[in-house]
Amino acid sequence: MNEMRIATLRRERGWTQERLAETSGIAVRTVQRLERGNEASLETLSAIARALDVPVRELFAAEDGAALDAGVRGLDERTEAAAAAAASEQAARDRFVAGFWSMSTALGVLFGIVTVVLLVLHVWSALVFLLVGAYWAVRYPVGRFLLDTVMGPRLDRRWPLSHASSAPVRAAR
């Protein structure tokens, strides 16, 4: 295969082999082998390229793009397509979770309004306000439990390229 530029790109960033290994999620020994010129899988090359924030073709010293193996040439496009699909799935999952928290907030507000109306009409006693407080006290822990244990696995199956994100949860609290 072609000569690799991994060591050069790593040094340009001032990174150690350990930092490149940690950032890319591969073993230090693998980085060392690659820098000595050993062959690597397309997945490993893709992980290194992502860590270095360069296209896979930049890892090779070949000046003629036609000299690269067909699998390497197409890897950038496949990696970009996979990243776009993962971003789309993550956005859909985040919208679902944000909707869940919005719905729980709307239910709490509706419950509070109904309680006030019933108190004004003297249908219930003032102790009902304790129920409203209890709802708001348990809303987040119960919602988190439902998202993590009940809905989480279903969301993982529906959007396998996504992951549980806490960003929408914090905004909805």
Side-chain angles (χ1 to χ4, degrees):
M1 196 171 239
N2 298 299
E3 182 182 338
M4 297 278 212
R5 296 183 51 229
I6 294 172
T8 304
L9 293 168
R10 175 182 59 78
R11 284 188 208 107
E12 285 175 0
R13 286 161 180 73
W15 288 7
T16 62
Q17 290 178 333
E18 291 77 15
R19 174 148 182 216
L20 177 57
E22 180 182 325
T23 305
S24 63
I26 63 173
V28 175
R29 295 280 300 150
T30 303
V31 172
Q32 293 167 346
R33 287 185 193 116
L34 289 172
E35 289 186 358
R36 281 195 310 266
N38 291 4
E39 299 278 329
S41 71
L42 294 177
E43 291 79 19
T44 300
L45 293 174
S46 178
I48 295 274
R50 269 193 314 274
L52 294 170
D53 197 28
V54 297
V56 174
R57 65 181 170 275
E58 294 287 323
L59 299 179
F60 297 94
E63 294 179 17
D64 181 14
L68 294 179
D69 183 43
V72 174
R73 278 195 314 252
L75 185 59
D76 287 334
E77 290 81 21
R78 290 191 306 270
T79 301
E80 289 172 11
S88 174
E89 286 192 12
Q90 188 63 50
R93 183 180 186 139
D94 289 346
R95 281 192 307 274
F96 178 88
V97 172
F100 170 82
W101 288 114
S102 295
M103 183 186 70
S104 75
T105 299
L107 285 174
V109 169
L110 180 66
F111 185 45
I113 291 170
V114 167
T115 301
V116 168
V117 168
L118 291 175
L119 283 173
V120 168
L121 296 175
H122 300 292
V123 175
W124 285 349
S125 71
L127 293 175
V128 175
F129 270 118
L130 292 176
L131 291 176
V132 174
Y135 175 83
W136 287 105
V138 301
R139 172 185 160 265
Y140 181 76
V142 169
R144 190 77 258 157
F145 171 79
L146 288 173
L147 280 173
D148 291 344
T149 60
V150 178
M151 289 188 280
R154 291 182 178 141
L155 296 177
D156 289 341
R157 281 192 302 275
R158 184 168 182 183
W159 296 299
L161 299 177
S162 69
H163 61 279
S165 174
S166 61
V169 173
R170 290 187 184 141
R173 262 196 214 175

